[in-house]
């Protein structure tokens, strides 16, 4: 445990009674005394505060925004050049086989691109960026800021009490807000399926801002346990589980993130694995990520093999995430199946404790998204 990194809010987690666990090299709160189930429901009903300071924050700056954007487009199959100022977009790094090296958020902050990457991948991501872009384009890891996520239907009311401008942001807008005298880089986004914000603040002010948010009657601290069940109900991928270097955007049902300008015309392709990815856009992939609803009350978790029938010996796929969905009131899962078994309503079978139990292929998200459009 002594080798684990600590976020700027580590002491606050301990003060709040968090159960701490190792995660992506950090000592992180998995739950608080409220418990995972109640933390999940509180986020859906009011507002939850998450410490996501373990994520990587990176500034990519060229001589102009255009230069930085075009540089990044050689690595990411997303339209970054046409992203409007003070807007954010989802994307991912790809490899030569079309696999996903990491997924990320990127924002046009006027004269630079602000990128947020996953904690477990950030060292590799930053090295990848520097190798591909420097010295012409500068890549700077931000190590002196914390990152918080305020999620849930009460988030707008809570954050607007600190800066009324928070209420004017739409989903995927970014802005610099003044939160009780602290400069905060804020996006209206998150990974729970709820309305909410991600808030980057100077590390030395993180405790102050967290306490200011937690002082609101509607806000509770939320750990990794509920973060996982919330994102699963929302049908959102967890890197290293639902997507990785061996899964393509076509297989992962993430091709919606590739805009038309990167599929055809002068800026089509030009990113690693473009031949594979664009071919799958045209012709389809042999397998697909789908939602799954197990029959009964027993969750089916990551690694469970999937079969076309109760007596088949050949797996057609596997579950990559699974658990109980507190909001929907039953187990939910996602995973990969062959394309001919990916139609909504198809019955497949999971091997659980030596028994074959049925699951139904279902649409995601399992609970409707509540982003402020």
């Amino acid at each position: 445990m002594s080798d684990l990194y600590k976020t700027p809010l580590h002491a606050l987690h301990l003060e709040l009674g968090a159960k701490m666990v190792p995660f992506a090299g950090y000592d992180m709160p998995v739950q608080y005394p409220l418990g995972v189930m109640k933390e999940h429901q509180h986020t859906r009903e009011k507002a939850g505060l998450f410490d996501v300071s373990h994520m990587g924050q990176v500034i990519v700056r060229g001589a102009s925004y255009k230069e930085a954007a075009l540089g990044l487009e050689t690595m990411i199959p997303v339209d970054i050049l046409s992203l409007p100022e003070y807007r954010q977009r989802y994307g991912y790094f790809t490899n030569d086989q079309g696999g996903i090296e990491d997924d990320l958020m990127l924002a046009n902050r006027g004269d630079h691109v602000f990128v947020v990457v996953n904690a477990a991948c950030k060292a590799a991501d930053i090295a990848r960026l520097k190798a591909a872009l420097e010295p012409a384009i500068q890549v700077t890891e931000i190590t002196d800021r914390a990152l918080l996520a305020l999620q849930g239907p009460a988030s707008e009311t809570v954050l607007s009490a600190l800066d009324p401008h928070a209420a004017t942001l739409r989903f995927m807008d970014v802005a610099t807000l003044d939160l009780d005298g602290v400069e905060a880089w804020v996006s209206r986004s998150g990974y729970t399926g709820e309305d909410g914000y991600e808030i980057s603040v100077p590390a030395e002010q993180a405790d102050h801002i967290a306490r200011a948010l937690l002082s609101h009657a509607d806000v509770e601290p939320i750990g990794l346990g509920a973060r996982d069940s919330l994102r699963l109900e929302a049908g959102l991928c967890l890197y290293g589980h639902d997507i990785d270097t061996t899964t393509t955007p076509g297989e992962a049902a993430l091709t919606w993130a590739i805009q038309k300008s990167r599929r055809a015309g002068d800026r089509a392709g030009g990113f690693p694995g473009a031949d594979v990815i664009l071919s799958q856009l045209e012709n389809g992939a042999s397998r697909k990520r789908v939602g799954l609803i197990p029959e009964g009350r027993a969750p089916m978790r990551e690694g469970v093999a999937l079969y076309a029938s109760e007596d088949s010996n050949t797996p057609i796929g596997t579950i990559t995430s699974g658990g109980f969905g507190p909001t929907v009131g039953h187990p939910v899962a996602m995973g990969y199946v062959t394309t001919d078994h990916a139609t909504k309503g198809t019955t497949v079978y999971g091997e659980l404790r030596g028994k074959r139990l049925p699951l139904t292929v279902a649409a995601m998200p399992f609970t409707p998204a509540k982003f402020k459009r």
Side-chain angles (χ1 to χ4, degrees), residues 141-171:
E141 181 183 7
I142 304 302
T143 58
D144 59 353
R145 298 183 74 89
L147 191 63
L148 309 178
L150 182 68
Q151 300 284 294
S155 296
E156 179 181 295
T157 299
V158 172
L159 200 60
S160 296
L162 296 180
D163 186 336
H165 184 55
T168 69
L169 302 182
R170 299 167 298 146
F171 180 56

Side-chain angles (χ1 to χ4, degrees), residues 286-337:
S286 62
R287 60 174 184 155
K288 187 176 180 182
R289 179 175 64 94
V290 296
L292 297 159
I293 299 178
E295 187 176 293
R297 303 290 290 178
M300 292 194 196
R301 304 189 186 276
E302 180 179 0
V304 170
L306 299 172
Y307 297 85
S309 67
E310 290 182 87
D311 54 6
S312 171
N313 293 319
T314 305
I316 57 161
T318 186
I319 290 176
T320 53
S321 287
F324 187 79
T327 307
V328 296
H330 56 73
V332 291
M334 71 172 80
Y336 288 82
V337 295

Side-chain angles (χ1 to χ4, degrees), residues 126-253:
I126 291 164
R128 179 182 297 110
L129 285 164
K130 285 180 174 290
L133 302 178
E134 289 187 338
I137 297 170
Q138 186 178 6
V139 177
T140 306
E141 181 183 7
I142 304 302
T143 58
D144 59 353
R145 298 183 74 89
L147 191 63
L148 309 178
L150 182 68
Q151 300 284 294
S155 296
E156 179 181 295
T157 299
V158 172
L159 200 60
S160 296
L162 296 180
D163 186 336
H165 184 55
T168 69
L169 302 182
R170 299 167 298 146
F171 180 56
M172 292 297 215
D173 278 352
V174 299
T176 299
L177 303 186
D178 182 335
L179 303 183
D180 201 22
V182 176
E183 181 186 85
W185 306 342
V186 177
S187 66
R188 193 156 195 167
S189 61
Y191 226 59
T192 62
E194 296 293 327
D195 184 22
Y197 304 86
E198 294 199 342
I199 306 161
S200 173
V201 296
E204 66 272 15
Q205 298 293 335
D207 182 87
H208 169 66
I209 294 301
R211 289 179 190 274
L213 295 170
L214 289 168
S215 70
H216 195 289
D218 284 344
V219 181
E220 290 284 350
I222 311 296
L224 292 172
R227 180 173 167 83
D228 192 54
S229 58
L230 288 158
R231 69 91 194 165
L232 176 56
E233 281 189 341
L236 300 171
C237 295
L238 178 62
Y239 190 81
H241 300 261
D242 309 298
I243 50 176
D244 59 26
T245 58
T246 70
T247 53
T248 67
E251 294 169 335

